[in-house]
Amino acid sequence: MIGALIAIGDELTSGRVTNTTSGYAARQLFLLGHEIRAMHTIGDDIDLIGATLREALAHADFVLVTGGLGATTDDLTNEAVIRALGLNTAVHAGVRASIAARWPPEKLGDAVSLDKLSLLPEGAEVLDSDCRMAGYLLRHRGKLLFLLPGVPPQMEILFADKVLPALQAASAERTRPVCQRVYRTCGLREVEINKRLLDLEADERVHLGYYPVGSEVHISLLLRDLEQGIDDPLFVRADRFIRAALGDDLYGIDGETLASSVGRLLKERGLLLGIAESCTGGLLSSAVTGVAGSSAWFAGGVVAYANEIKASLLGVEAELLARCGAVSGETARAMAAGAAAQLGCGIAVAVTGIAGPDGGTDTKPVGTVYIGLHHKGRTGDQRFRFSGTRRQVQEKTTHTALDLVRRALLAG
């Protein structure tokens, strides 16, 4: 089926809040074979809401609207729907009773708020049987119109429990199941990946997409109408081709992160990772501990920002710091070796650099980063020059450090 998504709220159009509901819905609908032709993010303007809704209904089989169903004066979705579609209204007894039971007048406010929440378009099918969450379905001239709350947790519950089953029941013969796999890479440019996979694209049944994401490139493999799903011979052949073409530059599949990939390799090899970081200020350790179960392979990290801490906690010699400077390959190596010794790790990585926007020199401009790695009793370092804002330099440093650990583990 063809669908359209509309997210409503001044908080979205002003950038105060990120519109995550549309992205969540689009991903789920796509995998079920639905085609989303348009995604709109609009403010709290009753005329604009109505015009956008009418336009969407003219070109889609279903429309999903999120936001604007609350009791405050800026919640205009119900009124906009009623006006735009010329509908009558009716007080929904179940909604009114549920609100009245949970919110006595002194907490709810005046009676107008209660009326606003319970006055729905005639024919609205409330999605939450307990009437504790706003949201309803309208069937309008053969089209399905879903109105959902803008609060992501509530929206996601109703979407999974009510919207998807309703769509699947209405479209069993009109959608084509999708088999998709996402391959996550680092170290290769998008054009190089494209070149490696061109032979696979010669099969018109195979659809590939290339998506730069930060320091990575993700590749989407998409096939439709496979009787055996991902076990279909065509999907299996395409998957093998991609894995072979990408080699060690492929670090994960679907939702696997670079940090979780590193963790998997560490666990397989029975090693603990130690971290010493300066310019990233804890971001590298945070990426690692964001992985569930990281305690099995991460010993700990030291944020050694000041030279005194590099010396006292990591054993970096004061003479070395004075001679080479905090931002140097020598210091990065000493930090990595110190982390391995102090934390008792088989492998340790250290980062030191100039994240900016100030502090650069002619020989060490902003974005200069040294990454040290201690593994199998040997310590080395690499120099990098990253561009971007302070945060971007820190993120690129974190990503690169993890990738260096990953490649060292792969190399044995």
Side-chain angles (χ1 to χ4, degrees), residues 208-280:
L208 296 178
Y210 305 89
Y211 310 100
V213 181
S215 300
E216 305 176 3
V217 177
H218 298 175
I219 303 95
S220 168
L221 168 66
L222 173 67
L223 293 95
R224 298 180 184 272
D225 296 329
L226 299 183
E227 292 184 2
Q228 301 177 52
I230 61 173
D231 295 322
D232 190 275
L234 176 60
F235 192 93
V236 172
R237 286 197 300 272
D239 176 72
R240 288 175 179 168
F241 184 98
I242 293 172
R243 291 175 188 265
L246 298 177
D248 288 348
D249 294 307
L250 170 67
Y251 77 77
I253 301 295
D254 291 333
E256 187 172 18
T257 65
L258 185 55
S260 65
S261 174
V262 168
R264 173 173 48 79
L265 293 172
L266 287 164
K267 198 170 182 179
E268 289 172 357
R269 288 155 177 74
L271 292 175
L272 286 176
L273 172 67
I275 290 174
E277 52 188 318
S278 181
C279 62
T280 48

Side-chain angles (χ1 to χ4, degrees), residues 120-294:
L120 304 180
E122 195 170 38
E125 302 172 27
V126 173
L127 296 175
D128 178 14
S129 57
D130 294 329
C131 298
R132 298 180 68 88
M133 292 183 286
Y136 55 89
L137 164 63
L138 277 177
R139 302 177 191 273
H140 181 74
R141 298 179 180 176
K143 309 291 182 74
L144 298 178
L145 175 57
F146 297 94
L147 285 298
L148 299 182
V151 180
Q154 295 181 9
M155 176 270 177
E156 292 172 14
I157 291 172
L158 293 179
F159 181 84
D161 293 348
K162 303 296 181 179
V163 175
L164 290 184
L167 286 176
Q168 291 306 96
S171 61
E173 297 181 359
R174 287 191 283 169
T175 57
R176 298 184 298 164
V178 171
C179 291
Q180 184 185 40
R181 182 163 288 165
V182 175
Y183 303 83
R184 295 171 173 244
T185 73
C186 48
L188 285 176
R189 293 183 301 132
E190 184 181 1
V191 291
E192 173 61 25
I193 296 172
N194 190 194
K195 181 180 178 181
R196 294 188 186 188
L197 301 182
L198 276 179
D199 288 345
L200 185 58
E201 291 192 53
D203 189 330
E204 62 182 15
R205 297 170 297 176
V206 176
H207 302 278
L208 296 178
Y210 305 89
Y211 310 100
V213 181
S215 300
E216 305 176 3
V217 177
H218 298 175
I219 303 95
S220 168
L221 168 66
L222 173 67
L223 293 95
R224 298 180 184 272
D225 296 329
L226 299 183
E227 292 184 2
Q228 301 177 52
I230 61 173
D231 295 322
D232 190 275
L234 176 60
F235 192 93
V236 172
R237 286 197 300 272
D239 176 72
R240 288 175 179 168
F241 184 98
I242 293 172
R243 291 175 188 265
L246 298 177
D248 288 348
D249 294 307
L250 170 67
Y251 77 77
I253 301 295
D254 291 333
E256 187 172 18
T257 65
L258 185 55
S260 65
S261 174
V262 168
R264 173 173 48 79
L265 293 172
L266 287 164
K267 198 170 182 179
E268 289 172 357
R269 288 155 177 74
L271 292 175
L272 286 176
L273 172 67
I275 290 174
E277 52 188 318
S278 181
C279 62
T280 48
L283 189 61
L284 180 53
S285 295
S286 177
V288 166
T289 56
V291 180
S294 56

Side-chain angles (χ1 to χ4, degrees), residues 1-6 29 32-38 52-65 85 137-146 163 166-176:
M1 295 177 72
I2 295 172
L5 307 179
I6 304 173
L29 292 166
L32 290 173
H34 300 287
E35 181 180 354
I36 302 302
R37 292 278 180 87
T52 305
L53 177 59
R54 287 192 298 269
E55 175 68 16
L57 285 170
H59 299 95
D61 301 313
F62 69 92
V63 178
L64 180 68
V65 181
L85 304 184
L137 164 63
L138 277 177
R139 302 177 191 273
H140 181 74
R141 298 179 180 176
K143 309 291 182 74
L144 298 178
L145 175 57
F146 297 94
V163 175
L167 286 176
Q168 291 306 96
S171 61
E173 297 181 359
R174 287 191 283 169
T175 57
R176 298 184 298 164

Side-chain angles (χ1 to χ4, degrees), residues 276 307 310 314-339 350-353 364 368-374 379-383:
N307 283 351
K310 291 180 177 68
L314 296 173
V316 181
E317 295 180 358
E319 182 275 331
L320 185 150
L321 287 166
R323 174 167 49 88
C324 301
V327 180
S328 64
E330 292 85 349
T331 296
R333 292 198 302 272
M335 289 172 65
V351 298
T352 179
K364 296 177 183 177
T368 299
V369 172
Y370 290 89
I371 300 180
L373 186 69
H374 181 87
T379 309
D381 70 272
Q382 292 188 47
R383 173 175 170 149

